[in-house]
Amino acid sequence: DRKGFFYVVINNDLDLAIEAISQNVSLDGIHVKERNASEIPMIRKILHDAAETSKSTNNRSTESMKINYFIIGTSCHSIQSAIKFYTLQPQGPDYLFVGTCYLTQSHPEKTSIDQLEGPTLPGKVKKELETLKSSSLESIHPSVPKIFAIGGIDERNCFEPVVKHGADGVATIRAVMQAEDPRAVVRSMIRLMQ
């Protein structure tokens, strides 16, 4: 765990990720669009191969290059899609963004709360995947992916999907990026979710 640090995860641009790796840019992973999520095992192999090639091309040892494992995640909007992505072989995503929890500018087509997946879905997804993992005779994935609630998350509602319904955390854009004091907003949200 890198407490106090952040992860660099490229949003759905495999070519950029490969280029970053080849240029020795520190990269932690990639977020794959939901429509491409079935390609996660292949993407994981491509990133691993790119890192190995970069290591040998640049004469770097494994110790000097911390890229031995890439974080790969995707989004989902139902328990069924979460199960589908979790059971990808040989390994599915490390995290899932689950939502849309609340009304948000990121999904302007969703204009009323009845069109949303809601703040309960992330917790339901987590419980379903944990049940699947514990009832499976063979290991599907080393662990259940981290489940992050997404969609309209802010200081007023961040606690609901986490504290009330069991999500691992939240993902947010506007609540932090458009805040007068982003650091204070993040600290407040962390406190509210404990």
Side-chain angles (χ1 to χ4, degrees):
D1 220 283
R2 300 182 325 181
K3 202 167 196 158
F5 291 87
F6 59 89
Y7 293 96
V8 177
V9 178
I10 291 178
N11 188 24
N12 203 51
D13 192 334
L14 183 57
D15 291 335
L16 180 61
I18 293 167
E19 180 65 20
I21 293 166
S22 74
Q23 297 298 319
N24 197 26
V25 174
S26 183
L27 173 67
D28 295 300
I30 188 167
H31 180 82
V32 179
K33 293 281 187 193
E34 184 175 8
R35 68 178 175 269
N36 301 325
S38 62
E39 299 172 11
I40 287 174
M42 178 189 67
I43 291 168
R44 194 176 298 280
K45 180 172 180 0
I46 289 169
L47 293 176
H48 175 75
D49 291 350
E52 290 299 317
T53 299
S54 180
K55 279 190 250 182
S56 63
T57 303
N58 297 311
N59 295 320
R60 287 178 285 156
S61 69
T62 304
E63 294 81 33
S64 69
M65 193 172 180
K66 294 184 179 179
I67 305 175
N68 294 325
Y69 184 83
F70 291 95
I71 299 166
I72 301 179
T74 192
S75 302
C76 67
H77 297 86
S78 70
I79 291 172
Q80 294 77 17
S81 63
I83 291 170
K84 176 183 173 185
F85 302 148
Y86 173 62
T87 57
L88 289 171
Q89 293 296 328
Q91 183 177 347
D94 301 297
Y95 71 85
L96 292 170
F97 286 163
V98 181
T100 308
C101 292
Y102 305 99
L103 294 173
T104 176
Q105 294 174 25
S106 296
H107 287 284
E109 74 282 4
K110 296 180 180 183
T111 57
S112 66
I113 58 171
D114 61 314
Q115 295 173 310
L116 303 173
E117 289 78 22
T120 62
L121 182 62
K124 288 177 182 176
V125 163
K126 183 177 177 183
K127 285 177 189 150
E128 187 69 31
L129 296 184
E130 286 173 342
T131 300
L132 182 62
K133 180 169 179 56
S134 67
S135 67
S136 177
L137 296 175
E138 59 186 67
S139 177
I140 295 172
H141 193 286
S143 61
V144 170
K146 294 292 183 186
I147 306 297
F148 297 102
I150 194 167
I153 304 291
D154 60 28
E155 282 180 277
R156 294 170 293 137
N157 60 27
C158 63
F159 71 94
E160 189 173 6
V162 176
V163 176
K164 285 186 174 182
H165 302 296
D168 292 307
V170 298
T172 185
I173 299 171
R174 280 173 202 79
V176 173
M177 299 306 292
Q178 293 179 355
E180 192 171 302
D181 186 351
R183 182 176 295 173
V185 170
V186 169
R187 286 182 177 148
S188 173
M189 289 175 77
I190 290 170
R191 188 180 71 256
L192 290 166
M193 290 185 291
Q194 294 177 341

